[in-house]
Amino acid sequence: MLALESATVRFGGRTALDAVDLQVAEHEIVCVLGPSGSGKSTLLRVVAGLQPMDGGRVLLGGADQAGVPVHRRGLGLMFQDHQLFPHRDAGANVAFGLRMHGAGRAERESGVAELLDLVGLPGAGRRAVAALSGGEQQRVALARALAPSPKLLMLDEPLGQLDRSLRERLVVELRTLFGRLGTTVLAVTHDQGEAFALADRVVVMREGRIAQTGTPLEVWQRPASAFVARFLGFDNVVDAEVTGTVADTVWGKVAVAEGEWQGPCELLVRPAGVRIGAPRDGLRCTVEARTFRGHHVSVLLRPERGPVLEAACALRDTPQEGAAVGVTFDVAETVVLAPAGEPSGK
Amino acid sequence: MLSGRIRGNAVRLGLTAVPLAFFALFFAYPVAAIVGRGLKDTGRWQFGRIGEVLGRPEILDVLWFTTWQALASTALTLVLALPAAYVFARFDFPGKHLLRAVVTVPFVLPTVVVGTAFLALLGRGGFLDELAGVRLDTTVWAILLAHVFFNYAVVVRTVGGLWSQLDPRQEEAARVLGAGRFAAWRRVTLPALVPAVAAAALMVFLFTFTSFGVVQILGGPAFSTLEVEIYRQTAQLLDLPTAAVLTLVQFAAVGAILAVHAWTVRRRETALKLVDPAQTARRPRGAGQWALLGGVLLTVLLLILLPLGVLVERSFDGPGGHGLGFYRALRSAEASGSTFLVPPLEAVWNSLRYALVATLIALFVGGLAAAALTRRAGRLVRGFDALLMLPLGVSAVTVGFGFLITLDEPPLDLRTSWILVPLAQALVGVPFVVRTMLPVLRAVDGRLREAAAVLGASPVRVWREVDLPLVRRALLVAAGFAFAVSLGEFGATVFIARPDNPTLPVAVARLLGRSGELNYGQAMALSTILMLVCAVSLLLLERIRTDRSGEF
């Protein structure tokens, strides 16, 4: 459906997109995930034709898009802050794309009503844009982008400005809706929860390059690098030297699975794999802080050597602040992060 | 993709080309021709004349007077108008909108009307003369007061507009942190206002430095600004070299003022957190605030309403008691002796026709320029921006006379064409159109245009569907200003309006130049008509204007 071939964009001396290759298949939902400044918005603008490229190609349905102006690409783009037209009401915003594609009045009216129904705002056509709440604006923006039946729908931080509970509800609604309509979607976000909930496939970007691509589960379970791990919120990363099934680290010897990358690398232990026991067992640590997270408690540990550790504990097992404890590591929650450019063991 | 960039540049070039050609042909060329004619002798440049003219004591006197009266006018305007800016920004009181409109009326009034009104108030046989035997028309006070009258709105609108959008919570935050009321104002509000005050002061200085109509009518033989002197040297003494040197001096001064203005405007664009003005105003509290409001109302009454009231009263005050005598006399050419070839009332229709055409030209040229300036601001674009402001300050007299000597041969023989007057008037209208449209166009979020493009709108369609609806109000406001300014244009029109087709300001000036009660009364009547036309067009505007629409 969509293919990017070594797409490159430079802003002055800075490279926003560095020879990016990306494919999106028909009916697939792909989410580009990255911190701000990683080039993910530029990626969308390149596909839309809003941002000229310094090199590379954009293909839609196999056709090179060079020289095809924005308004002839047949795409949908939902902007970060919606960009609804303030001088038109909700219905006229939704109808805009239909009008541009030469739809007649009757067709427009039925299309608008249908789409507003679809996004859960039946009868909101006459409401002024300024009178809509953030969540409603978001729904109108979605209806507007869907109205001309785009080949590919692009979402730029689709839920970025909404509050948490609304976001969690909408992300489920969006996924259901796209599944039902069979829409091909390319979304970008900096929120990993949003990406994992929405996407069939996640693409992690860093400084204009793709750092990892895979299903949400793959990326979550096996981050490809220390960058991806840290970006997903895992901070228990340490330098290691792997020999066989043992990694030698500043925290002591840590068991790893068979068939992992051998030699110098980095090692991630997910908080759930940090087991807290009696002080004499394993690595000696002091409890520095405890943060209540709802279904678990996050415990910050200061080991006798090496960087701080985060552990996820059940409520009743949580040690007191200042307590001395011993820490062991669960092999199932331990991931070897191969050096950049090397394939990891599995 | 690269072709898109090239196409964008081509579009920008096209948008810029029309205004540039317009300015080159109808502004730069005539002015340059006049300067050339004044400074060239037998084919050689005589730059020595500059030093020679500037060394003459009477010219030095003019330069000195021009500068100090502009400084004094600016200072006086700030002192009187800043309290009003505060009152309009922070207080809510009945009749506020009407009062704001009233305050703005003088700014769009033709200078000739302002001069006439103050003549009626302060002049021989004027209101104060009859009341208390006080005459100010031969003193500098009449000029200064007329300048304040004229520019009061510039300060109130520029400073008050920003002031009303400053978040009062900023000051409250300072108060909570331990600053007293005055300290909070001085450390939080004042720094935010300084660029706006500076920009307003510079505009007032510019307008008063180049003042023509007001000084021409009120200054008498004693006081003369550069512009008046240029007119005298050109039209009465036929001393083109001196006029050319003075034009260059004024050009340099205006260029310097505009450069400083552009700099302050750019500084003003620094991110201030602005809020809806409706939320910052409240009813005055306590005796002090009511007194301030009362003081501002009294100033408006004495400074703005009184002169206009006296003007209207004089226009009815005929030899046989109050009546429509002067207005009736306007209907025939014979009544005023040989002053006119046609009934003076015809000037009303001439003026309206010219102003309408001038407005259309100004909207077209100014609209294209504003559209070009909206797209990406570079150094070159900023230069273009400043260039468009120049007609506001460069000697209109020179432009008018330049028209006569340059546009007189094929293919551009316009000397006998009526279009000459609207063209000259449009020159002054364009800066207003650009200034009004540009902030609104720039405020249109570029991504709205992108959103429309992604939804399938071609560039032309984007402009029609997004830009045009959003700037429609600003466009109307710009049209209104261009109309009012064209209606009142005097310096250039006085040269190029044909004797059988005078405009209102030209007719008024001609009537005032004659002696006799009937001429004086007719001038008052004609000024009243002109004032009404301007005031009505402004009041219509005030209903549709938004607070975002520009600086004026």
Side-chain angles (χ1 to χ4, degrees):
Chain A
M1 173 68 241
L2 166 71
L4 286 176
E5 291 176 0
S6 45
T8 303
V9 174
R10 289 184 208 94
F11 296 123
R14 205 171 64 81
T15 305
L17 280 188
D18 192 356
V20 168
D21 291 305
L22 177 70
Q23 273 86 36
V24 179
E26 197 104 9
H27 309 308
E28 193 183 19
I29 302 178
V30 172
C31 218
V32 178
L33 181 62
S36 60
S38 59
K40 53 192 195 311
S41 287
T42 308
L43 184 82
L44 287 196
R45 296 175 60 81
V46 160
V47 175
L50 294 167
Q51 171 67 50
M53 281 189 297
D54 294 298
R57 297 204 299 165
V58 175
L59 301 149
L60 279 170
D64 191 345
Q65 298 296 300
V68 180
V70 184
H71 60 283
R72 301 240 174 80
R73 294 201 176 185
L75 300 172
L77 172 57
M78 218 176 99
F79 285 79
Q80 188 169 3
D81 35 13
H82 315 322
Q83 297 300 330
L84 295 176
F85 302 123
H87 52 293
R88 297 172 197 280
D89 61 20
N93 263 282
V94 178
F96 188 89
L98 296 172
R99 252 179 354 106
M100 292 305 120
H101 289 85
R105 173 180 285 270
E107 193 185 337
R108 289 204 308 261
E109 277 171 8
S110 67
V112 169
E114 197 179 308
L115 279 156
L116 285 175
D117 263 357
L118 192 70
V119 297
L121 284 174
R126 303 309 306 273
R127 290 178 60 187
V129 164
L132 299 171
S133 72
E136 288 168 336
Q137 286 193 14
Q138 138 87 28
R139 286 158 193 263
V140 172
L142 177 64
R144 183 178 74 172
L146 283 172
S149 314
K151 290 181 272 192
L152 170 71
L153 177 64
M154 299 191 287
L155 313 170
D156 189 356
E157 303 275 356
L159 308 171
Q161 303 206 318
L162 306 177
D163 62 60
R164 192 190 175 85
S165 62
L166 188 60
R167 216 158 60 192
E168 282 170 5
R169 203 173 73 231
L170 274 172
V171 92
V172 179
E173 283 181 26
L174 281 180
R175 185 161 171 83
T176 320
L177 183 67
F178 295 151
R180 187 147 51 96
L181 298 175
T183 322
T184 310
V185 178
L186 177 62
V188 307
T189 174
H190 68 274
D191 184 300
Q192 29 144 328
E194 201 171 300
F196 287 165
L198 192 62
D200 298 326
R201 192 152 58 89
V202 172
V203 176
V204 185
M205 281 193 75
R206 177 195 193 183
E207 288 167 7
R209 295 180 193 199
I210 293 179
Q212 186 175 8
T213 168
T215 65
L217 197 63
E218 282 165 6
V219 173
W220 181 260
Q221 287 187 329
R222 295 205 59 87
S225 63
F227 166 79
V228 177
R230 286 187 202 279
F231 182 67
L232 297 180
F234 301 130
D235 284 327
N236 295 342
V237 178
V238 72
D239 286 327
E241 171 95 36
V242 179
T243 323
T245 58
V246 175
D248 196 7
T249 74
V250 68
W251 292 327
K253 301 231 185 277
V254 180
V256 299
E258 266 179 49
E260 287 284 8
W261 159 267
Q262 300 288 307
C265 61
E266 283 172 297
L267 188 75
L268 159 70
V269 185
R270 273 192 282 267
V274 180
R275 296 281 158 75
I276 296 178
R280 62 185 178 284
D281 299 334
L283 178 65
R284 276 181 64 91
C285 297
T286 321
V287 177
E288 276 211 339
R290 305 185 304 173
T291 314
F292 183 58
R293 301 270 189 215
H295 43 273
H296 74 269
V297 176
S298 165
V299 180
L300 196 65
L301 300 163
R302 165 76 56 195
E304 45 187 9
R305 52 187 187 276
V308 290
L309 268 168
E310 189 192 333
C313 269
L315 203 47
R316 53 178 151 44
D317 301 335
T318 308
Q320 295 295 317
E321 262 175 45
V325 294
V327 160
T328 52
F329 302 102
D330 182 351
V331 66
E333 300 289 345
T334 305
V335 183
V336 174
L337 307 168
E342 306 284 350
S344 62
K346 278 188 177 168
Chain B
M1 290 266 174
L2 216 61
S3 70
R5 255 178 215 180
I6 292 168
R7 202 177 312 139
N9 282 335
V11 167
R12 196 150 53 241
L13 198 68
L15 288 175
T16 325
V18 172
L20 272 183
F22 180 81
F23 273 91
L25 199 56
F26 298 117
F27 180 65
Y29 175 43
V31 173
I34 285 280
V35 170
R37 193 166 291 202
L39 290 185
K40 250 186 184 168
D41 208 0
T42 57
R44 298 192 29 209
W45 287 98
Q46 308 284 330
F47 290 114
R49 278 182 188 167
I50 299 179
E52 179 221 323
V53 169
L54 292 182
R56 298 218 299 260
E58 76 271 18
I59 298 296
L60 282 179
D61 279 352
V62 168
L63 278 176
W64 168 237
F65 175 73
T66 308
T67 312
W68 85 252
Q69 66 79 25
L71 281 174
S73 301
T74 308
L76 203 58
T77 309
L78 284 180
V79 167
L80 286 173
L82 279 179
Y86 173 73
V87 164
F88 277 109
R90 289 296 193 228
F91 291 161
D92 225 352
F93 51 90
K96 182 171 161 180
H97 288 283
L98 182 69
L99 194 68
R100 203 200 321 248
V102 166
V103 164
T104 316
V105 166
F107 183 66
V108 297
L109 285 188
T111 51
V112 171
V113 173
V114 177
T116 319
F118 275 82
L119 201 61
L121 181 67
L122 308 171
R124 188 159 59 87
F127 184 73
L128 274 190
D129 195 7
E130 284 176 3
L131 202 71
V134 179
R135 273 186 62 189
L136 294 173
D137 64 329
T138 48
T139 71
V140 73
W141 282 104
I143 295 174
L144 293 186
L145 284 177
H147 281 165
V148 175
F149 169 88
F150 202 45
N151 292 300
Y152 195 72
V154 176
V155 176
V156 169
R157 299 208 85 121
T158 315
V159 181
L162 179 66
W163 206 333
S164 66
Q165 293 178 71
L166 291 181
D167 198 334
R169 283 172 302 177
Q170 297 256 310
E171 243 179 70
E172 287 166 11
R175 295 292 303 280
V176 173
L177 289 168
R181 194 189 293 268
F182 180 71
W185 179 81
R186 195 169 65 86
R187 297 199 182 275
V188 176
T189 308
L190 187 62
L193 284 180
V194 161
V197 174
L202 280 164
M203 281 326 275
V204 176
F205 186 80
L206 177 70
F207 290 141
T208 51
F209 189 83
T210 58
S211 181
F212 177 51
V214 167
V215 182
Q216 175 85 338
I217 290 173
L218 293 174
F223 300 111
S224 169
T225 55
L226 261 179
E227 182 83 33
V228 173
E229 190 63 23
I230 294 171
Y231 177 75
R232 211 167 65 92
Q233 297 287 349
T234 315
Q236 290 166 9
L237 307 179
L238 302 175
D239 183 353
L240 273 189
T242 305
V245 171
L246 294 182
T247 300
L248 283 181
V249 170
Q250 181 160 333
F251 191 84
V254 167
I257 298 168
L258 285 178
V260 180
H261 181 259
W263 181 71
T264 58
V265 167
R266 216 165 36 250
R267 283 199 37 202
R268 189 149 53 125
E269 282 167 3
T270 53
L272 282 172
K273 204 168 134 276
L274 299 183
V275 295
D276 181 3
Q279 292 168 0
T280 63
R282 51 172 182 72
R283 292 189 71 84
R285 273 192 296 242
Q289 296 191 347
W290 281 108
L292 185 62
L293 177 58
V296 166
L297 291 179
L298 192 68
T299 312
V300 171
L301 185 74
L302 288 180
L303 188 73
I304 291 172
L305 292 177
L306 187 64
L308 296 179
V310 170
L311 171 68
V312 175
E313 193 267 338
R314 289 288 130 139
S315 74
F316 290 111
D317 190 10
H322 285 76
L324 290 169
F326 293 136
Y327 289 88
R328 279 199 205 96
L330 290 175
R331 287 197 309 219
S332 72
E334 291 76 36
S336 50
S338 56
T339 315
F340 292 101
L341 299 172
V342 293
L345 209 55
E346 290 235 330
V348 176
W349 305 119
N350 286 335
S351 271
L352 288 177
R353 231 175 36 226
Y354 288 150
L356 199 67
V357 176
T359 304
L360 292 177
I361 300 174
L363 278 184
F364 179 67
V365 175
L368 284 180
L373 286 172
T374 319
R375 290 150 186 267
R376 221 169 298 172
R379 189 179 298 255
L380 205 70
V381 168
R382 277 207 294 276
F384 184 52
D385 194 356
L387 186 77
L388 289 174
M389 295 285 280
L390 275 180
L392 274 188
V394 170
S395 166
V397 171
T398 308
V399 173
F401 196 57
F403 266 40
L404 283 189
I405 65 164
T406 52
L407 305 175
D408 61 345
E409 51 196 316
L412 262 176
D413 186 6
L414 301 174
R415 218 174 1 161
T416 53
S417 163
W418 61 272
I419 193 80
L420 212 52
V421 176
L423 278 174
Q425 295 177 340
L427 267 180
V428 225
V430 169
F432 286 88
V433 174
V434 174
R435 288 292 109 197
T436 315
M437 304 272 297
L438 201 54
V440 185
L441 275 171
R442 284 201 174 134
V444 176
D445 195 324
R447 282 166 313 160
L448 276 181
R449 302 189 184 104
E450 294 180 357
V454 173
L455 288 166
S458 63
V460 175
R461 202 81 197 268
V462 168
W463 191 82
R464 219 183 72 202
E465 299 278 351
V466 177
D467 289 276
L468 197 57
L470 290 176
V471 302
R472 191 158 38 203
R473 281 165 164 232
L475 198 68
L476 285 172
V477 172
F481 270 122
F483 185 74
V485 170
S486 306
L487 212 52
E489 209 293 324
F490 178 56
T493 314
V494 72
F495 272 99
I496 52 184
R498 305 241 309 277
D500 53 343
N501 272 326
T503 65
L504 272 172
V506 173
V508 171
R510 222 181 278 170
L511 282 166
L512 282 179
R514 305 270 162 160
S515 56
E517 198 186 0
L518 184 61
N519 282 326
Y520 179 83
Q522 285 193 77
M524 297 294 157
L526 216 46
S527 288
T528 303
I529 295 175
L530 186 50
M531 178 189 82
L532 281 180
V533 174
C534 287
V536 166
S537 56
L538 181 93
L539 290 175
L540 286 177
L541 282 185
E542 196 64 22
R543 298 191 67 86
I544 52 171
R545 116 174 252 127
T546 57
D547 273 308
R548 259 183 164 168
S549 29
E551 294 170 17
F552 295 106

